Amino acid sequence: MGVIAPFGKPLYVMLKPAGSLCNLACDYCYYLEKRKLYPQDESKVISDELLEEFTKQFIEAQTMPQVLFTWHGGEPLMRPVSFYKRALQLQQRYARGRQIDNCIQTNGTLLTDEWCEFFKTHNFLVGVSIDGPQAFHDAYRRSRGGKPSWRDVMRGIRLLQKHGVEWNALAVVNSLNADHPLEVYRFFKEIGCRYLQFTPVVERRVRRSDGLTLAPGMQEGGAVADFSVSPSQWGRFLCMLYDEWVRRDVGEVFVQTFDATLANWAGVPPGICAFSGECGHAAVMEPNGDVYSCDHFVFPEYRLGNIRQQTLTGLMYSEQQKAFGRIKKDALPRQCRECRFLFTCHGECPRNRFVHDKYGEPGLNYLCAGYYQYFEHVASDMDFMKAELDAGRAPSNIMRHKE
């Protein structure tokens, strides 16, 4: 008997069409080493046959009229435009009346007029990884030969703008740029970016028998890498950035963390898994068809299976994936369960929950102190904006309130 997906519940499986292949070698990249999982696979790219199987299964697994394909890497532009043209043909073949959308995350260095014309024609949303002004970006985001990449990324962004492609920025907040929140934020405004995602980088190194060196999520031990943002840096970064945004840019510039915070305050889904009550709704598939519980948990112990032997629906609603989804809620330490901001934080991402709380219980988020500082800082404003939403008014009224 097949597995039945819950009605009205979206399912996401991020696809890695080029696996961990990338033209850059960023210091903090958590994905480059995943090639060690498949030493026998020389191509590292998905075959046409498997692309078709994934497309068919992914659409069939959906219970909603909209289907979102998410292309990630590595660097997904390591595959040619012709690959994505083929992907769109397959999407239409199996759509059966559903609306199909596509988004792609890129480092931006390989963008050309041809790519941008293609993205514009087919309404792709393009996410560009850029860490702010040149000095901050080039410190950690370089080519395999050690060359800086900022100028190439900016060239790519200008091409996206030239062709009218919808794009947003994903900035990794690290030990360097975390001390300069206003400079980073104003840079993005100056280049015309209205949609911003700031992701704190926290990585630990361990010794594993499978050759991988990163620590998988809640596993204890391992030294935090020196490029990782500290809890105090993260809290200060969010607070200073928020103070600039709330006085000038509400409704004009959209910062994912702030949007998710307000969503939880208002009691609606936050839109990002880090601030959701449970995990498990967004998996990732490698080029050989292996599916893992989450993009940040691509380790052998989190492999769900392969779509050549099992369906995506069966894998995503398997007992293993359900158990993974419950970890976020069930493994909360006492300090989290007592916290007045649990409703909006939910312990954040399990990948960062590897320290002990004040009671000595394991599973506290490494960035807890920073998040608490931020939530405490914005609480009264969030109450105001929630009240405006409840009254059918715009949250941007907070700007007049702050005058």
Side-chain angles (χ1 to χ4, degrees):
M1 183 175 179
V3 176
I4 305 298
F7 180 76
K9 191 174 185 180
L11 176 150
Y12 302 103
V13 180
M14 184 186 299
L15 184 57
K16 305 275 185 175
S20 60
L21 292 178
C22 189
N23 61 318
L24 298 184
C26 304
D27 289 355
Y28 49 64
C29 182
Y30 64 91
Y31 225 86
L32 285 178
E33 73 164 4
K34 302 306 179 184
R35 69 191 64 185
K36 297 177 183 177
L37 291 172
Y38 305 101
Q40 74 285 354
D41 185 358
E42 296 183 1
S43 69
K44 300 292 193 301
V45 299
I46 192 170
S47 67
D48 286 350
E49 167 264 325
L50 193 57
L51 174 65
E52 180 168 3
E53 184 63 27
F54 171 82
T55 304
K56 178 176 179 290
Q57 289 195 29
F58 187 62
I59 294 174
E60 288 178 348
Q62 306 299 324
T63 59
M64 307 287 282
Q66 299 83 25
V67 182
L68 177 64
F69 282 79
T70 303
W71 308 90
H72 212 276
E75 174 47 57
L77 300 196
M78 299 288 282
R79 303 303 308 272
V81 173
S82 58
F83 169 83
Y84 292 97
K85 289 180 178 179
R86 167 69 172 159
L88 293 181
Q89 291 171 353
L90 291 170
Q91 290 173 7
Q92 293 309 309
R93 178 182 301 175
Y94 294 105
R96 295 183 180 176
R98 290 184 173 92
Q99 176 185 325
I100 307 291
D101 295 305
N102 288 272
C103 65
I104 193 166
Q105 184 68 38
T106 174
N107 62 40
T109 62
L110 301 178
L111 288 167
T112 61
D113 282 305
E114 182 187 17
W115 275 116
C116 294
E117 289 170 1
F118 172 78
F119 291 146
K120 178 62 177 178
T121 299
H122 299 286
N123 298 311
F124 270 63
L125 170 63
V126 180
V128 180
S129 297
I130 178 170
D131 293 350
Q134 184 172 7
F136 301 144
H137 178 93
D138 283 342
Y140 295 119
R141 297 184 65 85
R142 292 177 172 265
S143 71
R144 293 185 177 278
K147 294 182 179 180
S149 63
W150 186 85
R151 291 186 182 278
D152 288 333
V153 178
M154 287 303 301
R155 177 187 51 77
I157 288 174
R158 286 191 289 270
L159 284 172
L160 291 171
Q161 293 170 328
K162 169 187 170 183
H163 290 276
V165 178
E166 186 177 355
W167 70 284
N168 56 34
L170 189 156
V172 172
V173 181
N174 52 61
S175 58
L176 177 60
N177 62 3
D179 289 332
H180 305 273
L182 297 186
E183 188 175 349
V184 170
Y185 180 60
R186 290 168 184 170
F187 162 80
F188 284 115
K189 288 178 61 178
E190 288 170 2
I191 66 172
C193 184
R194 296 181 63 235
Y195 297 90
L196 284 162
Q197 179 180 343
F198 292 101
T199 301
V201 62
V202 178
E203 294 292 356
R204 295 171 297 143
R205 306 297 181 183
V206 297
R207 289 179 177 271
R208 287 176 57 98
S209 59
D210 53 20
L212 299 178
T213 62
L214 297 179
M218 297 177 69
Q219 175 182 312
E220 294 186 38
V224 176
D226 58 5
F227 51 68
S228 297
V229 64
S230 72
S232 60
Q233 282 183 311
W234 182 233
R236 181 175 176 272
F237 179 91
L238 287 177
C239 290
M240 291 186 67
L241 195 151
Y242 173 83
D243 286 344
E244 175 97 351
W245 172 82
V246 79
R247 287 178 170 84
R248 302 168 181 261
D249 301 319
V250 182
E252 294 296 326
V253 178
F254 300 88
V255 180
Q256 189 181 56
T257 300
F258 304 156
D259 289 347
T261 302
L262 180 57
N264 274 337
W265 230 270
V268 298
I272 53 175
C273 55
F275 292 137
S276 298
E278 289 188 355
C279 294
H281 307 307
V284 60
M285 193 182 89
E286 292 294 317
N288 73 335
D290 283 349
V291 178
Y292 292 83
S293 291
C294 171
D295 186 40
H296 290 278
F297 287 80
V298 179
F299 296 93
E301 56 266 44
Y302 295 100
R303 179 182 176 274
L304 298 174
N306 191 289
I307 67 166
R308 284 192 169 100
Q309 288 83 44
Q310 299 158 276
T311 66
L312 276 177
T313 303
L315 294 173
M316 290 300 291
Y317 296 105
S318 65
E319 287 305 314
Q320 182 181 349
Q321 185 68 350
K322 289 177 183 178
F324 175 81
R326 290 192 297 268
I327 288 175
K328 185 170 187 181
K329 185 176 182 179
D330 294 349
L332 285 170
R334 179 180 171 185
Q335 183 174 332
C336 287
R337 298 194 304 272
E338 294 177 351
C339 181
R340 67 189 181 106
F341 297 122
L342 177 60
F343 75 95
T344 190
C345 175
H346 296 291
E348 206 244 5
C349 182
R351 74 177 184 269
N352 295 329
R353 286 161 51 174
F354 55 84
V355 298
H356 288 76
D357 71 359
K358 63 184 180 182
Y359 300 108
E361 293 188 12
L364 184 70
N365 194 299
Y366 171 78
L367 296 172
C368 173
Y371 275 115
Y372 192 93
Q373 178 186 354
Y374 159 69
F375 290 128
E376 191 170 49
H377 185 74
V378 305
S380 61
D381 286 353
M382 290 295 163
D383 287 339
F384 178 91
M385 288 190 281
K386 178 185 182 299
E388 292 297 286
L389 284 171
D390 290 345
R393 296 188 292 265
S396 58
N397 290 336
I398 185 70
M399 292 187 288
R400 289 200 298 270
H401 179 71
K402 302 289 282 189
E403 291 177 352

